[in-house]
Amino acid sequence: MNQQICTTHSAEETELLGERIGEKLRGGEVIELKSDLGGGKTTFTRGLARGFGSNDTVASPSFTISYVYSRPDKKELHHFDFYRLSDGGVVASELAEVENDPSVVVVVEWGDIVHDILPSTRVILQIRSLEEDSREITIRHDSSSAYLFEDIGVDA
Ligand code: ADP
Ligand code: MG
């Protein structure tokens, strides 16, 4: 596991970090986002989807559980949020299915409940709130995902 840590000082900076990583997505990646409520997981995903090339609106899917953002070449980013669910249910099956699809990027918020079906090679991004607008972002990833984090302005 490689680890990189960076600090952002505004929501815009977190979005920009997401955008830089999103530009490098190829499809097939699984990214788990961890933080307390309001940490910035959805904010990061907004930038990620923009960098990925989707113009779709990124909202918090807490009540719909999953959103799909697509782009012209038909690659898709699937955004899951298991907040307050005690059972992954049918959405967990949907997750398991798209995880193996090389044309789909998977982003998961509050993934503890589906921990067992997340691949061990996933990227784990943990956001910790420092002050009001500052966040410490720790990225852990397998060497096979190193291409996502080259030249993103994050310390190794
Ligand atoms: P989560 O999805 O983790 O619950 P959201 O992205 O929905 O969090 O909300 C994060 C909130 O924190 C937003 O209101 C955002 O504007 C604010 N915020 C302030 N500073 C930052 C920062 N550095 N990074 C991300 N969000 C920030
Ligand atoms: Mg969220």
Side-chain angles (χ1 to χ4, degrees), residues 43-115:
T43 300
F44 173 85
T45 305
R46 188 165 294 126
L48 195 77
R50 194 192 313 133
F52 177 66
S54 176
N55 294 318
D56 296 343
T57 305
V58 172
S60 183
S62 288
F63 299 102
T64 33
I65 307 162
S66 82
Y67 280 153
V68 177
Y69 315 124
S70 43
R71 67 180 197 188
D73 69 357
K74 303 294 180 211
K75 283 192 179 170
E76 294 175 342
L77 192 156
H78 289 228
H79 182 194
F80 293 85
D81 187 330
F82 292 93
Y83 185 58
R84 284 188 168 156
L85 284 191
S86 52
D87 182 350
V90 68
V91 188
S93 319
E94 184 191 321
L95 171 66
E97 203 168 299
V98 290
E99 272 177 11
N100 298 313
D101 186 334
S103 66
V104 172
V105 175
V106 172
V107 176
V108 180
E109 297 188 38
W110 303 105
D112 284 349
I113 195 169
V114 288
H115 187 262

Side-chain angles (χ1 to χ4, degrees), residues 8-11 14 35-43 109 133 135:
T8 62
H9 304 91
S10 65
T14 298
S35 77
D36 291 334
L37 193 62
K41 300 181 295 299
T42 300
T43 300
E109 297 188 38
D133 292 329
R135 304 286 189 271

Side-chain angles (χ1 to χ4, degrees), residues 16 29 37 78-79 88 108 119 126 130 137 139-140 147 152:
L16 188 61
E29 296 91 348
L37 193 62
H78 289 228
H79 182 194
V108 180
Q126 172 112 43
L130 301 175
I137 302 181
I139 303 167
R140 278 178 290 150
Y147 61 89
I152 56 165

Side-chain angles (χ1 to χ4, degrees), residues 9-27:
H9 304 91
S10 65
E12 292 69 30
E13 253 185 68
T14 298
E15 258 194 69
L16 188 61
L17 177 69
E19 187 172 345
R20 291 204 186 120
I21 296 170
E23 284 166 0
K24 300 186 169 69
L25 290 166
R26 298 168 178 172

